[in-house]
Amino acid sequence: MGKQRRRKPLGSMAVVALVCILLFHGCFIPLGLPFFLPEHQWILENHIENDDHSPLADLNCLSYGGPEDASEMIYWRDITTDAAYTSPFYNSKATKYLTFEPDKGGWNNVRMNLETVIVMAHAMGRTLVMPPSQEYYLLESQKGESTITLDTFLPLSRLSREQAGLEIISTEEFLHRERRSLRPPHNRTQWDGMSYEIATEYQPWIRSVTTMPSWNPEKCIAVFSDDESRESELESWFSMRMESQAFPKPEQYFGHPVSVDAPSIDRLSEMRAGREQLCVYNATLQQQRLLHFHGKPKLGGRLLTHFYAFLFFENWHNDLFYKRLVRDHLRYADHIQCAAARVVQAVRDRAFQRTGLREFDAFHIRRGEFQYQKTRISAGDIYNASQPEIRDGAVVYVATDERDKTFFTDLQKHFDVVFLDDFAHLLNGMDSMYYGMVDQLVASQSRVFFGCWFSTFSGYINRIRGYHADKNKAKGYKHGIISSYYYAPIVNKHRMCGYWPLFGSLYAREFPTSWRDIDHDS
């Protein structure tokens, strides 16, 4: 995965001679002569070639079982100037690395962590080393494969090819490059699928040979600047404001967002969210060849955060660039998008047959082992919370982890309720580990959406809805407003109906700053 370094090619006469010898002995020669590449490199490059089929700003589902037109799913853009941008820290002649450990929570926590480290890798001008395939909480393939690689869900190989200044490689490739100097345990370069050994041997070792910044997203804001003098100015200004307690209260920004191109001190003031420190990426850190983010609370900070809530860019153009980088590249892979598009069209067809309109509403109802008891309310109370926003008789798509469908009886008295199960025939044998992602994409297309407070699953649906609203210039888009609500706790029902700055538990929901006016300079 990523941009692979090739061996020096053989001379043309040597190639011809070798081909003749092999043909004489009856050997089949694959086009491209892959036997000149190391085995691990050949495998990775073949994976890249077979990645998603669509151009960046398109979604072609014909090779995934349709639909013929999936354009309504597209919220991303192909911006040429973005693709060419490199960080001021990037130096193609001096490779430096960023390694990390994935979050141990559910998929959406893992995704948030991954978005953050990808943005950091590009901003630092570093090659990002992906962790070995391993077990992830609540992610298990129907095919019996318990270990997962993260590019299964997001088109990371494409990102590495399409974005200047960002190389993404596997742990195996990293260790092949650096084995002599780093000496990994047992001199092993292949750790894929070895979840126990990764936790007990590889991770402790990688922490011991790298520099680990003590950045805690709950306590500090990570600052990136193009100018070292501006770094010290921001730090001095921030310290003075902290001493004098002169920062504005979050309430000042309710309904009044700071302009995306405002001076850095104004943008930083809105972003502060009660944090009292700046963690500056400075020359000292840039000199370190290997940086590692462990994400462990006991070791100084779990990267359970949204990238835009943790990483501050002194240059406002860079801030918007990285928000677009995530929007345009870190979307679900095409085969997931296309499966969702088929379901969306089927739900719209059902709605048209029943109401004469090709629109539906949606819920994400979180049950399962969710620890937040305030959100565990009855279906009757969920219905009451949805009034008057969802009309009786409406077709309502429910994304849920509740297996007992009788729980939804009180909703079914008022709505035509459908679940992903009802459209299983459209999934073409898709592995069930993708179902939650399909649920998110389908719910993102609804007219009105009700989510669950504290849920990162609901949060990501809202961010996708925000991307669509900004693209389509929907009502209220200038303030990042979307037609989404929360069914519990009811006091938070209308939080997405107005502009809210970063505030409270930053990881537990999404904020309009991630999608509002991010194409301002593109």
Side-chain angles (χ1 to χ4, degrees):
M1 178 173 56
K3 301 171 183 173
Q4 304 298 322
R5 294 183 175 179
R6 296 180 179 273
R7 293 178 177 177
K8 184 177 180 180
L10 297 176
S12 58
M13 292 303 295
V15 171
V16 171
L18 183 55
V19 169
C20 291
I21 292 170
L22 291 171
L23 288 174
F24 179 79
H25 286 284
C27 296
F28 171 70
I29 303 174
L31 195 62
L33 302 178
F35 47 81
F36 295 143
L37 296 176
E39 182 180 2
H40 66 275
Q41 185 171 326
W42 178 18
I43 293 171
L44 290 170
E45 290 193 348
N46 275 323
H47 173 74
I48 290 172
E49 292 301 322
N50 293 320
D51 201 9
D52 295 332
H53 298 73
S54 305
L56 177 57
D58 195 10
L59 180 60
N60 185 344
C61 293
L62 297 182
S63 58
Y64 297 112
E68 183 175 345
D69 180 8
S71 57
E72 73 169 308
M73 307 300 294
I74 299 173
Y75 54 77
W76 51 90
R77 294 181 59 194
D78 184 1
I79 303 173
T80 304
T81 51
D82 280 2
Y85 175 73
T86 59
S87 165
F89 292 107
Y90 178 70
N91 182 352
S92 61
K93 297 180 180 179
T95 301
K96 297 179 179 179
Y97 299 98
L98 189 154
T99 60
F100 73 102
E101 298 168 34
D103 194 85
K104 296 303 182 184
W107 160 247
N108 285 284
N109 294 359
V110 173
R111 174 188 52 76
M112 289 160 54
N113 170 278
L114 181 59
E115 290 175 345
T116 300
V117 296
I118 286 175
V119 172
M120 287 197 297
H122 189 281
M124 296 173 180
R126 294 177 178 271
T127 292
L128 179 65
V129 179
M130 295 299 296
S133 65
Q134 57 195 274
E135 295 176 351
Y136 288 93
Y137 178 60
L138 297 181
L139 281 179
E140 185 170 352
S141 171
Q142 276 180 317
K143 300 175 182 178
E145 300 170 0
S146 61
T147 60
I148 307 293
T149 57
L150 295 178
D151 65 335
T152 301
F153 311 108
L154 305 170
L156 302 182
S157 297
R158 289 186 58 165
L159 170 57
S160 186
R161 295 199 310 273
E162 295 166 347
Q163 182 60 54
L166 179 61
E167 181 182 37
I168 303 177
I169 64 173
S170 67
T171 295
E172 184 181 4
E173 172 66 13
F174 167 63
L175 294 177
H176 269 283
R177 292 183 186 182
E178 306 295 334
R179 174 168 52 183
R180 290 184 180 178
S181 60
L182 293 181
R183 299 181 180 180
H186 316 297
N187 207 29
R188 178 183 291 149
T189 59
Q190 172 58 267
W191 294 83
D192 286 331
M194 306 173 68
S195 296
Y196 177 77
E197 291 82 359
I198 290 170
T200 59
E201 297 182 48
Y202 175 76
Q203 289 177 347
W205 167 77
I206 195 68
R207 295 171 198 159
S208 72
V209 298
T210 56
T211 298
M212 296 191 296
S214 55
W215 290 4
N216 185 336
E218 295 181 357
K219 297 181 178 180
C220 81
I221 300 170
V223 173
F224 293 82
S225 177
D226 297 349
D227 184 342
E228 285 189 39
S229 64
R230 288 292 299 149
E231 292 173 5
S232 57
E233 288 177 19
L234 277 176
E235 287 184 288
S236 298
W237 170 83
F238 192 87
S239 296
M240 291 174 58
R241 281 292 186 101
M242 285 302 305
E243 290 176 4
S244 61
Q245 298 183 344
F247 279 109
K249 294 182 178 180
E251 291 83 354
Q252 176 177 321
Y253 301 105
F254 293 172
H256 302 286
V258 169
S259 173
V260 296
D261 60 355
S264 57
I265 57 174
D266 294 335
R267 292 184 293 111
L268 185 57
S269 293
E270 182 185 340
M271 181 182 177
R272 190 176 76 90
R275 289 168 288 190
E276 300 181 355
Q277 303 171 23
L278 298 183
C279 295
V280 178
Y281 186 71
N282 53 28
T284 301
L285 284 174
Q286 178 61 15
Q287 289 170 3
Q288 306 304 310
R289 189 156 184 265
L290 304 173
L291 289 187
H292 181 72
F293 285 87
H294 51 75
K296 300 290 186 292
K298 293 181 180 179
L299 296 179
R302 180 184 180 189
L303 288 183
L304 180 59
T305 185
H306 299 299
F307 71 96
Y308 60 84
F310 179 44
L311 310 176
F312 176 80
F313 296 92
E314 189 268 333
N315 184 324
W316 67 269
H317 293 285
N318 293 349
D319 177 62
L320 298 186
F321 162 77
Y322 285 111
K323 288 172 180 175
R324 293 194 298 266
L325 177 75
V326 172
R327 178 196 65 185
D328 298 339
H329 291 277
L330 297 183
R331 62 185 189 276
Y332 287 141
D334 282 7
H335 70 100
I336 304 173
Q337 298 278 354
C338 293
R342 294 193 295 274
V343 175
V344 168
Q345 290 194 6
V347 179
R348 292 198 189 285
D349 289 344
R350 183 184 182 109
F352 184 74
Q353 292 171 1
R354 285 162 171 71
T355 68
L357 298 173
R358 295 186 59 80
E359 61 185 27
F360 65 97
D361 301 304
F363 287 92
H364 168 229
I365 298 177
R366 182 74 157 87
R367 303 278 293 169
E369 83 297 349
F370 206 39
Q371 67 266 39
Y372 299 104
Q373 295 300 314
K374 292 180 180 179
T375 65
R376 298 183 70 85
I377 63 176
S378 69
D381 287 338
I382 293 174
Y383 167 76
N384 292 335
S386 73
Q387 298 305 295
E389 285 76 22
I390 301 182
R391 302 180 295 268
D392 273 29
V395 172
V396 171
Y397 182 90
V398 175
T400 185
D401 57 353
E402 176 59 68
R403 294 172 181 263
D404 180 6
K405 294 301 190 293
T406 62
F407 171 80
F408 301 98
T409 299
D410 284 344
L411 283 180
Q412 292 168 327
K413 292 176 181 177
H414 302 277
F415 306 135
D416 179 23
V417 177
V418 294
F419 306 93
L420 187 59
D421 301 355
D422 298 315
F423 305 96
H425 61 287
L426 299 176
L427 300 180
N428 298 343
M430 170 180 268
D431 198 305
S432 60
M433 70 178 177
Y434 299 112
Y435 286 2
M437 300 159 208
V438 174
D439 262 341
Q440 287 178 309
L441 291 171
V442 175
S444 75
Q445 293 298 307
S446 62
R447 181 187 69 93
V448 167
F449 171 68
F450 273 82
C452 180
W453 191 256
F454 299 119
S455 168
T456 54
F457 188 104
S458 286
Y460 192 52
I461 293 171
N462 280 329
R463 196 206 298 176
I464 297 173
R465 290 173 66 80
Y467 289 148
H468 281 291
D470 198 64
K471 174 185 176 181
N472 298 326
K473 294 181 170 47
K475 182 180 179 180
Y477 80 97
K478 290 185 178 180
H479 280 189
I481 295 171
I482 55 178
S483 55
S484 293
Y485 305 85
Y486 289 101
Y487 64 80
I490 196 65
V491 67
N492 295 324
K493 176 178 177 178
H494 296 95
R495 281 292 184 95
M496 304 308 298
C497 299
Y499 181 83
W500 281 72
L502 298 175
F503 182 69
S505 298
L506 300 183
Y507 72 89
R509 61 190 187 279
E510 299 276 356
F511 295 86
T513 186
S514 64
W515 64 79
R516 186 185 71 86
D517 202 18
I518 62 176
D519 291 308
H520 185 83
D521 60 343
S522 66

